[in-house]
Structure formats: C-alpha cells, structure tokens
Amino acid sequence: ANSNAFDGTAFFSTSRANLDTGSNTINNLLTGTSSSTYSLTEFETDYKSAKQGLLAFRDKHNRPFNKNPRLAVFVPPHMEDIAKVLLAERQELIYVSSLQSNLYAGDAEIIVNYEQTTTTDNDWYLINLNSTFKPFIIQEREGPKWEFWDDTKNKYIDYGFYFRMGYNFLNPISIIKTNN
C-alpha cells in the first residue's frame, strides 16, 4: 500500500506540495518503459531516469538532498539477471547489438525483493543507502525471548521465540519507485 509520508502526501508521489522546495519538484514515482517482457535496454533507460531523478531532488535553497549517494536497486527475482548485466561491478563489457563498455558497472548494489514474486510485475526501486534518513524505519520494540517446550509425551523438543517490532515509512526523498 502507498500510505502517506510525514508530509501528508502519498509516500510514492509525482509531487510533494506540502514540502517547501521552492521551484524544485520532488517526484519519486516514475513511469517506466512498461513492457511485459522487460529487457536490458528498458532497464537501462529506467535506471538512468531514476538516478537522474533521485539526484535532482533539491530543497528550496537549491541544495541537493542526495549528496554522495550509495545507490541500491531493489528488484524482483525475475529482474535480478538484467540488473546484474547492467550493474555488475566486474562486468567490463556487455553485448546488446555489439560489444560495448558497461557505463553503469558498479554504480549500484543489487538487492532482490523475494516478496515480489509475480513475473509480470516489473516495478523496482532505486534507494540512496547513504541517506541520513532511510526510506523506511524498522524499530525493535521488544527483543527476542527464546523459549523451549519439552513435552514428556513427545520425543521432540520445540523451540520458538517472541519479539515485537514496528515499521513505517520515513523518508520519501531517499527512494524512487519505477512503476512498470
């Protein structure tokens, strides 16, 4: 779900009217190339747009929000290989229609979103891992308490644990969703 961020706007949005960014627009919801068979060329086009968009986020004094970024792409499993071809650090050459240099080698870390299993869902995210405030907050509220149960009528000993944690949206300026 795309709940509201701290500014009262949807977390992924094409503008943030409630933030005073002067004439600068904060658009962290990009429309991708949207293909049912997402290719390396389409991913490269979308990556370039997402990176330019993220680095263009500025405050009302025209200061960048994402200085010195450490980028990560958060992709579904079926896009992992495409992301590796474009972003793999050791990949020096790629083959599209002819041998060419890989401009984006080592540009971003690849994180696979195993919860996104549909092979037709080509949405993915570009995240600035160096942002002071991360896109999401996950806070431990109560640490794990380990338990075991030894039922004398059963030959097995059961182990388990209890814990509590909270999570919420935090910083929409450190992430871009590419919607395909």
Side-chain angles (χ1 to χ4, degrees), residues 13-151:
S13 177
T14 57
S15 68
R16 310 208 80 77
N18 297 333
L19 289 182
D20 184 8
T21 57
S23 61
N24 299 311
T25 301
I26 305 295
N27 174 5
N28 73 340
L29 180 60
L30 299 180
T31 301
T33 52
S34 194
S35 171
S36 60
T37 55
Y38 206 60
S39 71
L40 175 62
T41 304
E42 291 166 323
F43 183 71
E44 182 176 4
T45 300
D46 288 348
Y47 178 78
K48 183 178 178 182
S49 295
K51 182 179 176 183
Q52 288 173 345
L54 188 71
L55 298 180
F57 293 171
R58 295 183 171 273
D59 67 12
K60 67 181 178 182
H61 302 292
N62 212 29
R63 294 178 296 221
F65 281 119
N66 289 297
K67 295 181 199 174
N68 191 29
R70 190 177 109 221
L71 301 175
V73 293
F74 192 47
V75 297
H78 67 276
M79 288 178 59
E80 180 182 11
D81 291 341
I82 293 172
K84 283 182 177 178
V85 170
L86 183 68
L87 301 168
E89 194 160 346
R90 293 190 176 94
Q91 183 80 25
E92 294 179 11
L93 299 173
I94 59 173
Y95 184 82
V96 178
S97 58
S98 62
L99 210 53
Q100 58 191 19
S101 168
N102 185 355
L103 174 67
Y104 298 109
D107 205 44
E109 181 180 333
I110 300 165
I111 303 170
V112 179
N113 179 3
Y114 291 103
E115 296 298 321
Q116 189 177 341
T117 58
T118 308
T119 58
T120 56
D121 183 359
N122 294 322
D123 294 350
W124 61 274
Y125 307 84
L126 182 65
I127 304 167
N128 177 8
L129 298 176
N130 269 354
S131 177
T132 304
F133 296 105
K134 305 299 185 239
F136 309 103
I137 184 169
I138 301 171
Q139 184 176 14
E140 183 180 290
R141 296 177 66 194
E142 185 178 339
K145 293 180 183 173
W146 292 92
E147 300 281 341
F148 74 93
W149 302 270
D150 188 4
D151 184 354

Side-chain angles (χ1 to χ4, degrees), residues 145-160:
K145 293 180 183 173
W146 292 92
E147 300 281 341
F148 74 93
W149 302 270
D150 188 4
D151 184 354
T152 56
K153 297 176 187 173
N154 188 338
K155 65 179 180 177
Y156 300 106
I157 297 175
D158 294 325
Y159 294 91

